[in-house]
Amino acid sequence: MSLDWMIQIIQSNWPMFLRGAGWTLVIALTGTIIGSLIGLLAGVVRTIPAPEKGIKKNLLKLINAILTIYIEFFRGTPMIVQAMVIFYGSALAFNFHMNPIIAGIVVVGINTGAYMAEIVRGGIISVDKGQYEAAQAIGMNHVQTMIHVVMPQVIRNILPATGNQFIINIKDTAVLSVISVTELFFQTKTVAGNNFRYFESFFVACIIYFIMTFAITLILRYFERKLEGPDNYTVIGNNLHIETAEDMKKKANKGM
């Protein structure tokens, strides 16, 4: 590896690297947001209590079956294959020619949604059942319970997994080069093809990927610490003294 070549490659091609990194972040961030919304909706629907009978029960079963097929299909197939099917399949089957960037966002969003659906479902299940019962005891229906009691806790609990999915998407956007998305990997291939210095060119890309993922990791950890609250948080007791069994026993001993 030649350091001089690396410096020369950066000096000559930094706009291409910068453009590729920018599109990588845009696609990964937009796809993660879309996928999180899909996963949130799918996760909530899959945890709705099933009615005992009637049309609603059959309808819920049908929706759950469709969601299960969607989740298992997109979790069980590689993103690179999904990109080829969606981009070229839409053109061949429906004569609908998608913009590569839009297609890339759609692929990342749908793929992320399948993973986020299971993450959200796990977060909902992890909430203590007593909180559902308490919400129902004060007259809340299922929707109100989810919005006001469950989802605030779920969002906090799944934040690390969501951030991890965002970082994975930054790296996985490299597969979108097969449908000509001009992200970082695609731009690096172009640079390497122009100067025939493949090792140096992709080493520069490797450093850029690391900078992006490491910076985002630090940002996510900062927000996680903010959500956890201050380290010295203590509950201040009220002035009302509730008599315990031990207090009652002491009083009885004094009276004797």
Side-chain angles (χ1 to χ4, degrees):
M1 179 180 68
S2 172
L3 183 60
D4 293 336
W5 263 106
M6 285 183 59
I7 295 173
Q8 184 177 341
I9 288 170
I10 295 172
Q11 289 177 341
S12 303
N13 303 280
W14 67 265
M16 296 183 67
F17 285 118
L18 186 62
R19 191 180 307 115
W23 279 120
T24 293
L25 287 174
V26 168
I27 294 170
L29 179 60
T30 309
T32 302
I33 293 173
I34 294 172
S36 297
L37 295 175
I38 294 173
L40 194 64
L41 180 61
V44 170
V45 170
R46 296 188 77 200
T47 55
I48 294 176
E52 294 182 0
K53 57 182 179 179
I55 299 176
K56 289 184 178 180
K57 179 180 180 180
N58 295 328
L59 180 61
L60 188 60
K61 278 187 175 181
L62 177 62
I63 294 173
N64 279 327
I66 294 172
L67 290 175
T68 300
I69 293 171
Y70 157 67
I71 291 168
E72 296 303 327
F73 178 80
F74 281 94
R75 290 177 66 196
T77 54
M79 187 187 289
I80 189 172
V81 177
Q82 297 166 14
M84 298 286 282
V85 170
I86 291 174
F87 183 71
Y88 293 110
S90 62
L92 292 173
F94 307 104
N95 197 29
F96 179 67
H97 299 275
M98 300 178 69
N99 179 281
I101 298 293
I102 300 299
I105 292 173
V106 170
V107 171
V108 174
I110 295 175
N111 184 274
T112 302
Y115 287 94
M116 289 302 301
E118 287 298 285
I119 293 172
V120 172
R121 188 174 72 90
I124 293 173
I125 293 173
S126 67
V127 176
D128 188 80
K129 291 183 179 179
Q131 299 193 34
Y132 292 92
E133 296 171 356
Q136 292 173 0
I138 61 175
M140 286 188 178
N141 57 31
H142 180 72
V143 175
Q144 291 173 328
T145 302
M146 295 298 294
I147 294 174
H148 299 291
V149 178
V150 179
M151 293 314 298
Q153 300 177 67
V154 170
I155 292 173
R156 168 62 188 88
N157 293 337
I158 69 172
L159 181 62
T162 306
N164 185 57
Q165 188 64 43
F166 179 33
I167 292 171
I168 291 173
N169 286 341
I170 290 175
K171 296 180 290 184
D172 284 354
T173 53
V175 305
L176 300 177
S177 62
V178 298
I179 58 173
S180 301
V181 176
T182 55
E183 40 70 54
L184 182 55
F185 182 81
F186 184 91
Q187 298 284 15
T188 306
K189 274 201 311 181
T190 304
V191 171
N194 291 335
N195 56 36
F196 298 102
R197 306 293 296 195
Y198 286 87
F199 182 83
E200 289 84 352
S201 299
F202 280 99
F203 190 81
V204 172
C206 183
I207 294 173
I208 296 173
Y209 275 116
F210 174 76
I211 291 172
M212 289 191 296
T213 56
F214 186 69
I216 290 169
T217 300
L218 294 178
I219 293 171
L220 290 172
R221 287 177 181 172
Y222 171 79
F223 283 111
E224 286 175 26
R225 288 195 299 268
K226 285 292 183 181
L227 289 175
E228 287 174 359
D231 295 334
N232 60 348
Y233 178 80
T234 55
V235 178
I236 300 176
N238 57 31
N239 294 324
L240 177 63
H241 178 69
I242 299 175
E243 193 172 37
T244 63
E246 188 67 26
D247 295 332
M248 295 173 65
K249 186 177 179 181
K250 289 179 179 179
K251 284 184 179 180
N253 292 333
K254 287 181 180 179
M256 292 177 61

